[in-house]
């Protein structure tokens, strides 16, 4: 599971990081919760919450903490300081070969980096704005966008990047008019095919537990829970 968290950090990186009070504090620059949160570095982090708060404030972002399984003491310490749980997340994973075994059935896919303007437009329409796209630009390792076309129309896009033998999927979006046609499943298969060609063995992603449709899709593809985390915020 620790490898999955390392892959998350590498394939969706913060603008910068700093250590404060036993926490790794990420600078998000609007790129989302994951890249704007603090994660504990050692068992003494409960005593350093105030230092992490100050580091967040120095970055001009509200304090946000990311808690993994087994960090109940830290979780309780943050709760005692008035922090509430936000967006419980599940990490899902499956063998790349399993997802890539069946090619896309309803979609032509085009891996390309840098992405085409239409790919960026599709992401922006789905709320994956310029700040989140800047996170993708920061990824140092192998990465690609995948544009999906259904017929003669651009229908969806996804971002995938590798860290070691793990490929992480991010920013999956299908245009509303093209949904319920199996296109999200096809984009996942295209992402797995690209990951296989990079030598990756595991395909993984993070999704909120509350996202029922997405969790249903990933379960149907055979991705299984491999870890959990949540945020705490005021």
């Amino acid at each position: 599971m620790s490898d999955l968290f390392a892959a998350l950090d590498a394939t969706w990186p913060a603008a910068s990081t700093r250590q404060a009070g036993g926490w790794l504090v990420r600078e998000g620059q609007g790129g989302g919760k994951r890249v704007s949160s603090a994660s504990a570095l050692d068992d003494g982090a409960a005593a350093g919450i105030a230092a992490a708060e100050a580091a967040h404030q120095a970055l001009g972002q509200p304090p946000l903490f990311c808690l993994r399984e087994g960090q109940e003491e830290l979780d309780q310490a943050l709760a005692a300081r008035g922090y509430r749980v936000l967006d419980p997340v599940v990490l899902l994973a499956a063998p790349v070969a399993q997802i890539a075994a069946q090619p896309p059935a309803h979609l032509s896919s085009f891996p390309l980096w840098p992405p085409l303007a239409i790919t960026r437009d599709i992401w922006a329409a789905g709320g994956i704005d310029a700040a989140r796209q800047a996170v993708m630009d920061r990824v140092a390792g192998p990465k690609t966008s995948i544009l999906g076309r259904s017929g003669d129309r651009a229908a969806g896009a996804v971002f995938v990047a590798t860290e070691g033998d793990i490929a992480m999927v991010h920013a999956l979006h299908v245009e509303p008019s093209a949904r319920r046609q199996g296109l999200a499943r096809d984009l996942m298969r295209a992402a797995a095919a690209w990951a296989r060609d990079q030598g990756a063995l595991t395909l993984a992603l993070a999704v909120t537990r509350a996202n029922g449709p997405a969790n249903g899709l990933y379960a149907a593809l055979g991705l299984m829970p491999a870890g959990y985390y949540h945020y705490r915020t005021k």
Side-chain angles (χ1 to χ4, degrees):
M1 184 173 68
S2 59
D3 289 344
L4 290 179
F5 281 104
L8 265 182
D9 281 339
T11 62
W12 199 257
S16 70
T17 60
R18 60 198 66 191
Q19 295 186 19
W23 296 87
L24 179 71
V25 181
R26 302 175 183 86
E27 180 185 11
Q29 294 186 357
K33 290 188 289 294
R34 175 72 192 172
V35 291
S36 306
S37 65
S39 297
L41 293 170
D42 55 49
D43 294 338
I49 292 173
E53 290 172 331
H56 273 296
Q57 290 160 1
L59 291 169
Q61 59 190 33
L64 180 68
F65 294 86
C66 181
L67 287 305
R68 305 181 188 178
E69 291 176 283
Q71 295 182 327
E72 288 77 13
E73 182 178 342
L74 285 176
D75 203 34
Q76 293 168 8
L78 286 162
R81 295 175 73 99
Y83 283 85
R84 61 181 178 85
V85 172
L86 178 67
D87 287 348
V89 174
V90 58
L91 284 169
L92 301 173
V96 162
Q98 173 183 313
I99 310 299
Q102 185 172 345
H106 310 288
L107 195 73
S108 299
S109 59
F110 305 91
L112 187 66
W113 193 267
L116 297 172
I118 184 61
T119 306
R120 293 192 181 275
D121 289 345
I122 287 172
W123 276 329
I128 304 161
D129 60 12
R132 284 171 167 78
Q133 293 181 36
V135 177
M136 306 177 204
D137 293 332
R138 289 197 292 266
V139 175
K143 62 184 176 182
T144 194
S145 67
I146 298 177
L147 174 67
R149 295 185 67 89
S150 179
D152 61 353
R153 292 189 55 203
V158 67
F159 175 75
V160 58
T162 64
E163 172 69 6
D165 63 2
I166 298 173
M168 296 293 303
V169 171
H170 303 275
L172 173 63
H173 178 68
V174 174
E175 291 283 83
S177 62
R179 291 175 185 169
R180 300 186 182 278
Q181 300 175 34
L183 302 187
R185 181 180 289 105
D186 283 350
L187 281 169
M188 287 292 296
R189 288 171 175 157
W194 177 86
R196 177 195 58 204
D197 293 345
Q198 308 307 307
L201 300 178
T202 299
L203 190 74
L205 55 85
V207 60
T208 59
R209 296 198 206 188
N211 191 338
N215 280 287
L217 164 69
Y218 302 138
L221 284 166
L223 285 102
M224 301 294 292
Y228 301 90
Y229 64 93
H230 63 268
Y231 300 99
R232 278 197 180 267
T233 185
K234 282 188 176 178

